[in-house]
Structures are given as C-alpha cells and as structure tokens.
Amino acid sequence: MKICGACVRELPDGSYRDEQRARRQSIRRCEECVASGNQLVLMKKGRTRSEEDDCPICQLPLPLDQKQSSFRECCMKRVCKGCELAAGKCGMWDCPFCRASVTDESQALAMIRKRVDAGDPVAIYFLGNRYRFGRNGLEKDVTRAVELYERAAELGVLEAHYNLGVLYANGADVEKDTSKAIRHYEAAAMSGHNFARHNLGCREYNTGKYDLALQHWMISAKLGDEGSLNYVKRLFMAGLATKADYAAALRGYQNAIKEMSSPDRDEAKALGFMKIKEMVRAAEVAEHLLRANVEAAIDASLAERQALHAR
C-alpha cells in the first residue's frame, strides 16, 4: 500500500504507474490524480506562517531576520525588538513578556533544563541548539543535539524539523541522508516555514524541475523571504517564469513585509542591535547601583539604630 501525495489516500501499488511508484510520498500521485491534474498536498499547505511565529506581545508576525528579535529563556518566548524597545521606554528592561530579571548563562541553562524536564517542546529544541553549537557552558555534542531536535520535532516544533533538514542535507556533523532531509523540510514547509520551503525549491531546481521550484519559491516569497523572490526573478529573466508569476511573488513579498512592520520595530531597526544592547546594559548597571545604594542605606540605618540602642 502506498499513499498518494495529492489525495492522501492509501492505495494499492496497482494504482500508480512505475514512475509514480518510485517517487517519494509528497510528489507521488495515483492514476486518478494524474488524470485530473490534482495539485500536490505539499503545495496546498504552508501558504501562511504559523501562529507560533507571532510576537507574543504585539501579535505581529516576527521578522524573518532573527537579529530583529530575541529569545527569552525565562519564558521560552521570542519577542520582537520593537516590543523590547517599547518596554524599555517605560523603564522596563527585564523580559518584556514575563518581567523576569536578566540572567547569566549558568542561570539561563538551569532555566532551560527545568523546562525540558517539564516537557516543554521549545525548551527541548533550544537545549538542542545549545549542544549543537556548544553554548551556555556546554561542550559541542551534535549527536545529543539531534536527539533533542528529533524529540522536539515529534512535538511539533518547526525549527527542529528545519534544523534536522539542514544537518542531514549538509552531512557535515551527521551522516548525510537526503531522504531524511527532504522529509523534515517538507514537514516544516507544510506548516509555513519559509526557509524550509526555499530549500525545497533549491532542491527541485537542482534536479531540473523548474516548475516545482517556481511554486516553492513563490510560496516562500509570499511569506516574506527575499531570497526566494530573487530566485523567482532569476527564473523570469531566464524565461522559466512568466511576468505574472514574478508580479504575484513581488506583491506577496511586499504584503508580508508590511505585516511584519510597525513603528516600534522600524525605530528599533534604525537604532540597531548594539545600541539597544547598550541601553539594556545601562539599565542593568543603573539597577545594580540602585540596589547597592538601597542596601547601603539599610545597613547605615541598622547601624544607627544599634548605636542608639547601645546608648
């Protein structure tokens, strides 16, 4: 029994031509779907970003450039720099979502492990990142990272699917496995992950399937990926895409960028990452000085009371 990638029905092998039977599930089609020209499920799903990609404060889609947002270990949330800056203007330089104080690396790792023990999928994925790149005082351990990614992917974390796709596709730190890479890319793409969708387009292009590559890149461009838009333009210049295709991709890209924009985000981007970081550090120093002054005042008051009592 094999599953058709268009109608998602489980059908006997006799329902497929030899050519279709040899293809992977996502692009395999039964005789009925070939005759009726049904589109692939892979192309039907993932045309909008997941709600998990929204900033938890302003509820706008997060910028694709991760430098324009920051991940918070205290609450396992990624917050856009616009909301971070807006909170800072009100004098709140702690976590803008849960108001937890800024922690050092050892405290952050302890927070992550606590959430992992509780079964938090995002924490499991994030700990995998720490092992993959050897951060937060951990030694690099890609095998452990893959185990955590697989666990997080099973729990529905799109970034875990995407990272597994990258690892298996490149084969640098793990054994190269193209079928696994495609499977993880497809799982992420069908849930709205733009970079996974872009990479699928690249794979189809490299095998000469320009029509499928165009479809992937148009979807990704409409999710806000500039690289995919440039590839659609390249296909248009080469005569492999129509003017209407490029115009549709451009309109979709512009709409996606507009959805990801806000006055606070524009201001934060204009200030730059380092400037905001300096402001956070200045706020931390001021908070430490305030605490030190308060503690000194309390100690002085206690000493004065003790002296008066002694008299």
Side-chain angles (χ1 to χ4, degrees), residues 13-293:
D13 288 353
S15 301
Y16 304 87
R17 300 175 186 172
D18 291 339
E19 178 189 359
Q20 293 289 338
R21 194 160 48 237
R23 292 181 176 180
R24 63 179 185 270
Q25 178 181 319
S26 61
I27 62 172
R28 183 190 306 131
R29 288 183 288 175
C30 62
E31 292 280 9
E32 185 179 345
C33 288
V34 171
S36 61
N38 283 357
Q39 293 183 355
L40 306 180
V41 169
L42 182 59
M43 297 303 179
K44 292 180 180 179
K45 295 183 178 179
R47 291 180 171 271
T48 57
R49 292 176 66 183
S50 168
E51 290 183 1
E52 297 174 5
D53 287 342
D54 292 348
C55 173
I57 299 177
C58 64
Q59 296 297 303
L60 295 175
L62 287 166
L64 299 184
D65 182 3
Q66 291 199 347
K67 291 181 180 179
Q68 301 302 318
S69 61
S70 59
F71 185 83
R72 300 289 178 158
E73 295 89 348
C74 46
C75 52
M76 294 292 138
K77 300 291 185 183
R78 181 168 289 279
V79 179
C80 73
K81 290 293 182 182
C83 289
E84 187 175 302
L85 180 62
K89 290 177 180 178
C90 298
M92 297 180 292
W93 287 106
D94 294 329
C95 175
F97 183 74
C98 70
R99 301 293 186 258
S101 300
V102 179
T103 57
D104 58 27
E105 285 196 352
S106 61
Q107 291 175 314
L109 184 59
M111 286 181 176
I112 296 168
R113 290 193 182 280
K114 184 176 180 180
R115 298 294 291 264
V116 169
D117 293 339
D120 187 322
V122 178
I124 294 169
Y125 160 73
F126 196 74
L127 184 60
N129 273 346
R130 302 301 91 181
Y131 276 108
R132 180 183 175 187
F133 299 106
R135 294 173 182 168
N136 286 89
L138 295 173
E139 291 187 9
K140 183 177 179 179
D141 187 344
V142 179
T143 302
R144 176 61 175 152
V146 170
E147 291 175 358
L148 291 165
Y149 282 160
E150 291 281 6
R151 184 178 165 192
E154 290 176 0
L155 294 171
V157 180
L158 302 186
E159 287 294 337
H161 278 297
Y162 172 70
N163 278 271
L164 285 167
V166 171
L167 285 170
Y168 285 124
N170 294 337
D173 296 310
V174 298
E175 184 178 353
K176 188 171 183 177
D177 191 324
T178 302
S179 62
K180 282 186 178 181
I182 292 173
R183 175 169 61 84
H184 285 295
Y185 279 151
E186 289 176 347
M190 286 192 288
S191 294
H193 195 287
N194 61 296
F195 294 131
R197 177 73 67 178
H198 174 84
N199 287 358
L200 286 173
C202 293
R203 288 196 165 275
E204 299 295 1
Y205 180 86
N206 291 336
T207 57
K209 298 174 182 176
Y210 305 124
D211 288 342
L212 286 176
L214 174 63
Q215 291 181 58
H216 282 303
W217 286 335
M218 286 191 67
I219 294 172
S220 186
K222 292 175 182 179
L223 294 176
D225 182 34
E226 186 176 3
S228 293
L229 177 65
N230 290 335
Y231 275 42
V232 172
K233 181 180 179 181
R234 189 178 299 179
L235 288 178
F236 167 58
M237 298 297 289
L240 298 172
T242 66
K243 184 178 181 180
D245 291 331
Y246 177 58
L250 182 59
R251 284 195 301 271
Y253 170 78
Q254 291 172 338
N255 290 335
I257 294 301
K258 186 177 181 180
E259 289 178 0
M260 290 185 281
S261 300
S262 73
D264 287 329
R265 289 184 181 184
D266 293 341
E267 184 179 355
K269 189 173 182 179
L271 282 172
F273 172 74
M274 293 307 298
K275 181 64 176 178
I276 295 176
K277 195 170 184 179
E278 289 174 7
M279 293 167 71
V280 173
R281 285 178 177 173
E284 289 174 4
V285 171
E287 183 179 356
H288 288 314
L289 287 175
L290 179 60
R291 287 178 181 174
N293 291 336

